[in-house]
Amino acid sequence: MAGKYPVSPLAPKDGFPALPPIAGVRFSTVAAGVRYAGRTDVMLAELAPGTVMAGTFTRSRTRSAPVLDCEAKIGGGSDEGAAILVNSGNSNAFTGIRGVEAVRAVTAKVSDALGIPEGRVFTSSTGVIGEPLPHDRITAVIAALRDTLTETGIADAARAIMTTDTFPKGSVRTFEVNGKIVTIAGIAKGSGMIAPDMGTMLVYIFTDAMTDRAHLQSLVSRSTDRTFNCITVDSDTSTSDTLLCAATGASGVDVREDDAFAQALEEVMDDLAKQVVKDGEGATKFVTVNVLGAASDADARRVAMAIANSPLVKTAIAGQDPNWGRVVMAVGKSGAEADRDRLSIRFGDILVAENGMVADGYREADAAAHMKGENVTVSVDLGLGQGTSTVFTCDLTAQYIAINADYRS
Amino acid sequence: MAGKYPVSPLAPKDGFPALPPIAGVRFSTVAAGVRYAGRTDVMLAELAPGTVMAGTFTRSRTRSAPVLDCEAKIGGGSDEGAAILVNSGNSNAFTGIRGVEAVRAVTAKVSDALGIPEGRVFTSSTGVIGEPLPHDRITAVIAALRDTLTETGIADAARAIMTTDTFPKGSVRTFEVNGKIVTIAGIAKGSGMIAPDMGTMLVYIFTDAMTDRAHLQSLVSRSTDRTFNCITVDSDTSTSDTLLCAATGASGVDVREDDAFAQALEEVMDDLAKQVVKDGEGATKFVTVNVLGAASDADARRVAMAIANSPLVKTAIAGQDPNWGRVVMAVGKSGAEADRDRLSIRFGDILVAENGMVADGYREADAAAHMKGENVTVSVDLGLGQGTSTVFTCDLTAQYIAINADYRS
């Protein structure tokens, strides 16, 4: 639970960024007592009429009721206002028909309170799986949420959606078009059960850019593949991962032909994705895994994920041990095409191994020095082709075990 | 290193079994100082002329030099004697041409000392990957190994091959055919980097049964799939996994038409495989994962392995937490066909969830009581078809991290 564990040593040194208001978006939060005591646990975002929505979702076969509801709605029309309601503490996943009913109860109440169609109310739930969502505790606070909506509430929203997170995650980018400023601001939560196959956790991005659904969805999908689908904390894919992006259009700047928008959006997503890794449960190192020279990009990704998810590689990094033998092991088990005698491996800039054996002149002290830093880079050149992939992960420490062996108790 | 960590609480209560001599097999061990100080680290098994050999090996793409050498030799003729030499402390994996030369130096010396063809000398190396094997330390002790061979040395052999193991692993079965006794005895090592795709660790099985290579290989391959390929400690596949089975024929009992032999052999392999899991690094629980009702056996295995390898499931079990939501998550991420609303889940005999939600009358106290035991069973019925799979694993504890974050230091 938030606050129980010390803040990750990888948290942004400057704290939560100053996120400016996004015209057309208002936020409110409340302590509804869904599961946690003494903290906010529900956030509401109200989106002005005309807001365009896009989203990406977990590919788990056991997706939660809120995810299924969002997926059904995300392609819908956009002439009216919309809303996003998120609770922490209970994921409303694997709750059968009761889960569906809980979503319906909450979305109906929000629809009623804000005067928008139910088909434009999106919800997410994050927390324990398999326990019925006490949705009456949420419906009881909708009126209070409506009455306290404010344009400056995004930082509070970032805090209300935290579960085992040790810091709230936010990011912002702005750019100028013909003297008008366009802003993109996002918040995210997530620190465990993080693995690709979509969005990996909860992410909400808001912009005053003017666009259409198809354009926004295509950018969001493409950038999800390049950001959130390139991170892994523990290889476990959540049943609830959701990314929603809302464009209010209030800036009056049409960004459909604007590369600056695509780039700024991806920067926000990249920043949030890396913050999620940096809050990986128990993490003490931010790890970049680069694979090149693979027979294909798909093979490169397979190898990068095998390395990033290997408990033995991750514990070696936790121990600041340049144990490249474990990297070889992970390459071997990945299933990708590999030739032991063409492999080369680097830790940071240090060439550790090449041509299937330890490199001439390699001194373990050099690699060990790199491993002591907060940012560790593992690079593997398979020496076979042009395929490349980069993924981001963290180390595996005793703190991960401590957090997850007593999450519910 | 052996002795550094406390003996696994799951170790056999009766200690190492009494393994009888196998006619035609002699063992010796020595402290060669390959890496460890103050303990034996090389074992030699001498096999009488006429011994039939079979084996299974890791499927890693980065197989070690000794594994490649064994694979090349295993199909060879059997009229002459044979030998198995194993060192611990260094795996001679990812050592390039130097690794090949090291194997050649050792096998030549053994061949010379025992008067058997080099093509009948099998070696294994286990320990750190990527460091050149100081093979001169091994060749220097071959004469001493030859001079101390004894029929009663198998228990010492089991100890010499240990790395992070906390207890030596042995198993024996005997059966009678027309008044003659046939014996099968095996030893194994392994406690980390254990995942299927073959043999998962080092296993040596000796029998005085009389058979031929094709028969023995077919039994060994089939039983490997049912035993060692059904266990996982940490999903990491070793570069060195090797199983060798030697049948001396000294009992005079032809077992080629004998189901009792096939069964006894599989029992020995099953026993050793489970002992490896019970010595899983940091393990405090022995976990059986049963999956049934899958669309196919392959899908069932995919789900079982996803559950058995999930860090979140394994840490929940370490925490004695019947967190069935994490089981749902693992089913969802496995990639196998699944329908959330047909799933049912049991911990032990306790029905926890069915039809996609918590079961009527489920009391968490009941499941929690099951989780407190040393043996935890997780059963999932997908409700789709006839596919089944059972795999064995252990929990994931802080001790696993401690062992692997400082393995080399």
Side-chain angles (χ1 to χ4, degrees):
Chain A
M1 190 193 303
K4 185 168 176 185
Y5 299 101
V7 173
S8 168
L10 307 175
K13 306 299 179 233
D14 300 335
F16 193 79
L19 301 186
I22 304 288
V25 190
R26 297 195 302 165
F27 298 91
S28 57
T29 59
V30 71
V34 173
R35 181 181 185 89
Y36 307 135
R39 55 160 282 191
T40 57
D41 58 356
V42 180
M43 82 107 181
L44 176 66
E46 179 206 47
L47 303 158
T51 293
V52 169
M53 299 285 300
T56 49
F57 306 94
T58 181
R59 292 189 199 126
S60 167
R61 296 290 181 104
T62 52
R63 291 194 279 286
S64 69
V67 169
L68 293 169
D69 187 62
C70 283
E71 285 184 305
K73 290 173 174 174
I74 195 70
S78 62
D79 286 346
E80 306 183 76
I84 299 171
L85 182 137
V86 185
N87 75 272
S88 55
N90 180 311
S91 72
N92 192 18
F94 209 64
T95 43
I97 184 67
R98 276 189 276 179
V100 176
E101 288 166 359
V103 172
R104 202 170 295 148
V106 171
T107 56
K109 192 84 178 185
V110 172
S111 161
D112 205 43
L114 300 185
I116 54 175
E118 212 174 316
R120 298 288 287 160
V121 179
F122 301 86
T123 71
S124 303
S125 296
T126 177
V128 172
I129 299 178
E131 296 185 3
L133 177 69
H135 58 82
D136 50 331
R137 296 184 198 168
I138 299 173
T139 51
V141 297
I142 303 292
L145 284 165
R146 178 200 56 206
D147 294 344
T148 54
L149 285 163
T150 163
E151 286 208 339
T152 57
I154 191 168
D156 289 336
R159 288 184 183 91
I161 63 177
M162 291 164 68
T163 57
T164 56
D165 304 65
T166 71
F167 62 88
K169 297 161 190 72
S171 184
V172 62
R173 293 291 183 280
T174 58
F175 61 98
E176 198 180 313
V177 179
N178 299 329
K180 290 181 180 169
I181 302 290
V182 178
T183 304
I184 305 174
I187 58 174
K189 68 78 52 177
S191 61
M193 209 182 272
I194 299 298
D197 273 338
M198 132 73 223
T200 53
M201 89 251 78
L202 302 184
V203 185
Y204 305 98
I205 298 169
F206 307 93
T207 176
D208 50 12
M210 184 181 287
T211 179
D212 60 53
R213 214 199 89 73
H215 174 253
L216 189 63
Q217 183 66 52
S218 96
L219 293 186
V220 164
S221 295
R222 188 179 70 177
S223 292
T224 295
D225 275 343
R226 294 177 181 172
T227 58
F228 295 106
N229 282 350
C230 291
I231 66 171
T232 180
V233 166
D234 54 12
S235 82
D236 277 345
T237 305
S238 166
T239 54
S240 303
D241 298 336
T242 295
L243 179 151
L244 293 171
C245 180
T248 65
S251 68
V253 178
D254 188 331
V255 297
R256 283 175 291 185
E257 305 292 326
D258 196 327
D259 285 347
F261 177 71
Q263 188 185 324
L265 177 64
E266 186 156 313
E267 284 175 11
V268 167
M269 290 169 70
D270 182 68
D271 185 11
L272 291 173
K274 287 177 177 163
Q275 287 188 50
V276 169
V277 170
K278 288 178 178 177
D279 204 10
E281 288 168 345
T284 68
K285 309 275 186 189
F286 180 77
V287 183
T288 302
V289 180
N290 294 311
V291 174
L292 63 160
S296 65
D297 285 351
D299 259 16
R301 184 179 168 78
R302 209 169 285 141
V303 170
M305 278 294 168
I307 295 168
N309 282 324
S310 161
L312 288 171
V313 171
K314 292 163 87 84
T315 49
I317 293 172
Q320 307 192 137
D321 176 5
N323 192 324
W324 56 279
R326 295 183 184 177
V327 177
V328 176
M329 174 282 301
V331 172
K333 78 164 184 172
S334 71
E337 195 180 324
D339 179 342
R340 194 192 59 186
D341 295 338
R342 293 190 189 192
L343 269 184
S344 68
I345 296 171
R346 286 171 195 270
F347 287 129
D349 295 329
I350 314 295
L351 180 65
V352 176
E354 60 181 340
N355 302 326
M357 54 194 290
V358 68
D360 281 344
Y362 167 65
R363 297 186 321 139
E364 184 157 309
D366 298 337
H370 175 73
M371 306 302 284
K372 286 195 170 50
E374 212 169 75
N375 295 293
V376 169
T377 302
V378 179
S379 301
V380 172
D381 187 340
L382 295 172
L384 297 175
Q386 302 301 316
T388 63
S389 177
T390 298
V391 306
F392 304 96
T393 189
C394 56
D395 55 342
L396 174 59
T397 66
Q399 182 73 355
Y400 177 89
I401 311 292
I403 293 170
N404 285 297
D406 74 350
Y407 178 48
R408 302 202 315 172
S409 50
Chain B
M1 189 192 304
K4 187 167 174 186
Y5 298 101
V7 172
S8 168
L10 307 175
K13 305 297 179 236
D14 301 335
F16 192 78
L19 301 186
I22 304 288
V25 191
R26 298 194 302 163
F27 298 92
S28 57
T29 58
V30 71
V34 172
R35 181 182 186 88
Y36 306 136
R39 53 158 283 188
T40 58
D41 58 356
V42 181
M43 82 108 181
L44 176 67
E46 179 206 47
L47 303 157
T51 293
V52 169
M53 300 284 300
T56 47
F57 305 94
T58 181
R59 291 188 199 128
S60 167
R61 296 290 182 103
T62 52
R63 291 193 279 286
S64 69
V67 168
L68 293 169
D69 187 62
C70 283
E71 285 184 305
K73 291 172 173 174
I74 195 71
S78 62
D79 286 346
E80 306 182 76
I84 300 170
L85 182 138
V86 185
N87 75 271
S88 55
N90 181 310
S91 71
N92 192 19
F94 209 63
T95 45
I97 184 66
R98 275 190 276 179
V100 176
E101 288 166 358
V103 171
R104 203 170 295 148
V106 171
T107 56
K109 193 84 176 183
V110 172
S111 162
D112 204 42
L114 299 185
I116 54 174
E118 213 175 315
R120 299 287 288 160
V121 179
F122 301 86
T123 70
S124 303
S125 296
T126 177
V128 172
I129 299 179
E131 297 184 2
L133 178 68
H135 57 82
D136 50 332
R137 296 183 198 169
I138 299 172
T139 51
V141 298
I142 303 293
L145 284 164
R146 177 200 57 207
D147 294 344
T148 54
L149 285 163
T150 163
E151 285 209 339
T152 57
I154 191 168
D156 290 336
R159 287 184 185 92
I161 64 176
M162 291 164 67
T163 57
T164 54
D165 304 65
T166 71
F167 62 90
K169 297 159 192 74
S171 184
V172 63
R173 293 291 184 283
T174 58
F175 62 97
E176 198 180 315
V177 179
N178 300 328
K180 290 181 180 169
I181 302 289
V182 178
T183 305
I184 305 174
I187 59 175
K189 67 79 50 179
S191 61
M193 210 182 273
I194 300 298
D197 272 340
M198 144 58 213
T200 53
M201 90 251 76
L202 302 184
V203 185
Y204 306 98
I205 298 169
F206 306 94
T207 176
D208 51 12
M210 184 181 286
T211 180
D212 60 51
R213 215 199 89 72
H215 175 252
L216 190 62
Q217 183 66 52
S218 98
L219 293 186
V220 163
S221 296
R222 187 180 68 178
S223 292
T224 295
D225 275 344
R226 293 179 183 170
T227 58
F228 295 107
N229 282 351
C230 290
I231 64 172
T232 180
V233 167
D234 55 12
S235 82
D236 277 345
T237 305
S238 166
T239 53
S240 303
D241 299 335
T242 296
L243 180 150
L244 293 171
C245 180
T248 66
S251 69
V253 178
D254 188 330
V255 297
R256 283 176 290 186
E257 305 291 327
D258 196 327
D259 286 347
F261 177 71
Q263 189 186 325
L265 176 64
E266 186 156 315
E267 284 175 12
V268 167
M269 291 169 68
D270 182 68
D271 186 9
L272 291 172
K274 287 176 178 163
Q275 286 187 50
V276 169
V277 171
K278 288 178 177 177
D279 204 9
E281 289 169 345
T284 67
K285 308 276 186 188
F286 179 78
V287 183
T288 302
V289 179
N290 294 312
V291 174
L292 63 160
S296 65
D297 285 351
D299 259 16
R301 183 179 168 79
R302 207 169 286 139
V303 170
M305 279 294 169
I307 296 168
N309 282 325
S310 161
L312 288 171
V313 171
K314 293 163 87 84
T315 49
I317 293 172
Q320 307 191 137
D321 175 5
N323 192 325
W324 58 277
R326 296 183 182 175
V327 176
V328 176
M329 175 281 300
V331 172
K333 78 165 181 168
S334 70
E337 194 180 324
D339 178 342
R340 193 191 61 187
D341 296 337
R342 292 190 190 193
L343 270 183
S344 67
I345 296 171
R346 286 172 195 271
F347 288 128
D349 295 331
I350 314 297
L351 180 66
V352 176
E354 61 181 340
N355 303 325
M357 54 195 289
V358 68
D360 280 344
Y362 167 65
R363 297 186 320 142
E364 184 158 308
D366 297 338
H370 175 73
M371 305 302 285
K372 286 195 168 51
E374 212 169 74
N375 295 293
V376 170
T377 302
V378 179
S379 302
V380 172
D381 187 340
L382 295 172
L384 297 174
Q386 302 300 316
T388 63
S389 178
T390 298
V391 307
F392 304 97
T393 190
C394 56
D395 54 343
L396 174 59
T397 66
Q399 183 72 355
Y400 177 90
I401 310 293
I403 293 170
N404 286 298
D406 73 353
Y407 178 47
R408 303 203 314 174
S409 52

